[in-house]
Amino acid sequence: MQLKAHALTRRGFILTGAAAVATTAAVVWPRGTARPGAIGPGDVRLVAGRNTAPLLGPFRPDVDVWSFGGRVPGPEIRVRQGDRLRVVVENDLPEETTVHWHGVRVPNAMDGVPHLTQAPIKPGGSFAYDFTAHDAGTFWYHPHQRSFEQVGRGLYGPLIVEERQPIRVDRDVSWILDDWRLDGSGQISDDFGSPHDMTMSGGVGNTVTINGSVPQPFEVRAGERIRLRLINAANARIFGLDFGKHIARIIAMDGQPVAPHEAAGTVVLGPAMRIDLILDMMEEPGSRFEIVDSFYKGLEYPLTTIAYTEASPLRREPLQASIELRPNPLDDPDLGGAERHEVVFGGGMMGMMGGGGMMGGSGMMGRGGMGGGGMMRGMAWTVNGVTATGHVLEPALTLARGRTVVLDLKNDTAWWHPIHLHGHSFRVLSRNGRPTRHREWQDTILMPPNETAEIAFVADNPGDWMFHCHILEHQAAGMMATIRVANS
Ligand code: C2O
Ligand code: CU
């Protein structure tokens, strides 16, 4: 067995590690090089295994993790829009796994949902994922099997699909944000799936990393234009980034282009969400600025520092070039002919407080059955009143292929939930009854407590698709459903 622990460079394509200051290599996946059948030169091999990673930087001991390609994050896969991608995943973990291509509109059989779209990959086994990257944008990959632990231990990586005609920037940088719960010895705490995490805010960690390391200052040159691709790979933490003096212009959300606009307040990313920003670095050489994560009130902290080098400015005025991305080939929902459904998200600790004092301590709840879902009665999360106990479910909705659907989403809980739909992107039409300004395309919508939203999409991808909360503990504790797009 050949296990390649690191990015491979072979004829025709390159995998690059995502580094905070990496420039974009000219990375190309030529058309027609991916071949069906055996592992060939056009394939990417991705090994999931147990490794260590320098999460705490070079001066602290490495941390035991589970990761792809021997590192956190896993290798950056970069292709061009329209290219075909074939990734052979080998499982070197002590348990079954799968890989889901978050946000990519893949055929159902390539979606990486255990038992629903494929048999899980057994330890020692492998699976070939093969699909075409129809949409340009910022995506990521992660297991869908026991993801609250597998993603939580470090199994994830970026998938960047470059535009055929990219916008002009000086640097294209990806930041995968994550947090970890480290114990006193600096290792990952072993309490995955604790009742507290499952029923409340999810597994929020105590150590935040960018691209698998506690953040180092982010060096920039005065005058340069940076495209910053933010990916939130955390199990449960929501980020709200304040760029201070720097104007953060949002050009894409969840990989999909949006009319360029300044972030209103902080740049908010729930788990699994992506935002592409344009930053023009117009301050003085040698100056320094903090980027503050101020999402949780009272728990604000400086995420990292923007450190201008002493180099003379690249230019004195911001680059005059369009930052508007071309739209991806998505079918626009035809609202006139739409069918409507309501989807209500419920449950959680607050939902049952009146019901009998079960907050008295975790001792009452036990740990049995926490692994795959199925909390004690009354403790779980629900979608339309149903608590999922696995990935194979009676569909909550069955849609005819090609129909436009509007979903009225209601968060009937006291908690935030990033709700993700597989296989499709949807437009966010309104929030709390107020139309959104940009009708943004998303694949994950962050729902504040007790709020509503209207989303719309054309059900054009046949199959059974997961629709779930991406706080991975909520998902495991039942906040998950399937939507079937029927072929006839
Ligand atoms: Cu990123 Cu169903 O997940
Ligand atoms: Cu949730």
Side-chain angles (χ1 to χ4, degrees):
M1 192 165 41
Q2 300 165 268
L3 298 181
K4 292 270 173 172
H6 288 283
L8 1 155
T9 303
R10 286 189 193 155
R11 203 173 78 213
F13 71 94
I14 304 169
L15 285 177
T16 57
V21 292
T23 51
T24 307
V27 182
V28 181
W29 183 286
R31 280 178 186 286
T33 53
R35 301 178 312 184
I39 295 174
D43 300 325
V44 178
R45 177 179 290 156
L46 206 52
V47 181
R50 283 177 289 192
N51 303 284
T52 60
L55 302 183
L56 294 171
F59 307 115
R60 298 276 307 273
D62 282 3
V63 178
D64 293 327
V65 296
W66 294 1
S67 65
F68 289 110
R71 52 163 138 170
V72 178
E76 180 174 284
I77 302 175
R78 263 191 120 94
V79 298
R80 279 217 195 140
Q81 184 170 22
D83 285 341
R84 182 166 164 193
L85 183 59
R86 191 168 187 277
V87 184
V88 178
V89 174
E90 296 179 4
N91 183 5
D92 211 12
L93 297 167
E95 62 182 47
E96 296 177 333
T97 193
T98 63
V99 175
H100 171 60
W101 310 93
H102 186 114
V104 184
R105 298 184 295 138
V106 299
N108 194 249
M110 297 293 121
D111 200 40
V113 179
H115 307 289
L116 185 73
T117 69
Q118 69 171 98
I121 311 169
K122 295 218 177 327
S126 69
F127 187 90
Y129 294 91
D130 187 342
F131 55 87
T132 298
H134 296 295
D135 296 336
T138 304
F139 304 98
W140 65 299
Y141 58 90
H142 65 77
H144 222 279
Q145 170 78 353
R146 297 185 66 257
S147 49
F148 64 94
E149 178 164 355
Q150 294 194 4
V151 178
R153 288 192 184 276
L155 285 161
Y156 58 78
L159 168 56
I160 308 297
V161 183
E162 296 182 340
E163 294 84 20
R164 287 267 155 196
Q165 284 140 321
I167 55 169
R168 189 169 156 214
V169 297
D170 298 303
R171 276 198 290 161
D172 183 326
V173 176
S174 304
W175 283 4
I176 304 209
L177 307 169
D178 193 7
D179 71 343
W180 311 75
R181 189 176 296 161
L182 301 182
D183 63 20
S185 68
Q187 293 294 327
I188 294 173
S189 157
D190 218 7
D191 59 348
F192 288 101
S194 75
H196 179 275
D197 289 348
M198 294 301 229
T199 54
M200 299 213 257
S201 58
V204 177
N206 53 20
T207 305
V208 170
T209 57
I210 298 178
N211 297 338
S213 171
V214 289
Q216 309 300 316
F218 176 54
E219 289 201 347
V220 303
R221 178 165 177 196
E224 70 172 334
R225 171 169 289 179
I226 294 174
R227 176 176 184 166
L228 182 60
R229 302 171 186 262
L230 300 169
I231 303 173
N232 182 356
N235 280 28
R237 179 182 291 270
I238 302 167
F239 290 88
L241 304 187
D242 181 346
F243 287 82
K245 273 188 129 165
H246 290 87
I247 296 169
R249 283 184 292 171
I250 297 175
I251 58 167
M253 301 173 75
D254 290 351
Q256 301 296 343
V258 65
H261 61 280
E262 269 180 47
T266 60
V267 175
V268 175
L269 292 119
M273 292 171 59
R274 290 89 62 215
I275 287 184
D276 289 31
L277 297 176
I278 293 293
L279 294 169
D280 285 314
M281 314 311 303
M282 303 316 292
E283 300 300 326
E284 290 303 311
S287 57
R288 293 167 81 90
F289 302 87
E290 279 183 347
I291 299 175
V292 175
D293 176 6
S294 59
F295 185 79
Y296 299 100
K297 296 305 151 223
L299 298 172
E300 297 84 353
Y301 65 97
L303 173 71
T304 188
T305 302
I306 298 175
Y308 280 73
T309 65
E310 297 294 343
S312 63
L314 200 56
R315 57 180 74 81
R316 296 277 170 193
E317 296 297 324
L319 180 63
Q320 293 300 309
S322 172
I323 57 169
E324 184 154 2
L325 299 165
R326 291 172 168 246
N328 281 317
L330 286 157
D331 267 354
D332 223 345
D334 165 22
L335 297 178
E339 64 184 69
R340 262 183 190 271
H341 299 277
E342 189 175 60
V343 183
V344 180
F345 300 93
M349 195 53 107
M350 303 312 269
M352 42 69 64
M353 272 187 74
M358 290 182 73
M359 286 186 80
S362 60
M364 303 182 61
M365 295 158 60
R367 293 194 62 156
M370 296 291 174
M375 304 288 293
M376 261 178 72
R377 217 170 116 70
M379 301 299 295
W381 301 96
T382 59
V383 181
N384 283 351
V386 178
T387 297
T389 52
H391 286 94
V392 183
L393 300 160
E394 194 54 42
L397 292 173
T398 298
L399 308 171
R401 185 177 184 180
R403 280 305 294 270
T404 293
V405 195
V406 176
L407 299 182
D408 285 302
L409 308 182
K410 187 170 186 347
N411 176 359
D412 208 9
T413 78
W415 304 91
W416 293 76
H417 303 287
I419 302 295
H420 172 47
L421 176 63
H422 286 210
H424 301 77
S425 290
F426 48 77
R427 273 196 192 278
V428 181
L429 303 179
S430 73
R431 287 178 173 272
N432 279 332
R434 296 185 49 200
T436 54
R437 199 143 58 101
H438 302 288
R439 294 163 65 88
E440 54 272 17
W441 289 102
Q442 302 225 250
D443 56 56
T444 306
I445 176 174
L446 184 60
M447 304 268 310
N450 297 305
E451 293 210 350
T452 62
E454 250 181 328
I455 64 170
F457 61 100
V458 179
D460 56 5
N461 199 355
D464 282 6
W465 301 104
M466 304 312 299
F467 188 47
H468 65 87
C469 180
H470 220 289
I471 289 180
L472 300 174
E473 292 77 13
H474 293 179
Q475 177 195 1
M479 193 175 272
M480 176 161 71
T482 52
I483 293 181
R484 175 170 295 167
V485 178
N487 224 330
S488 55

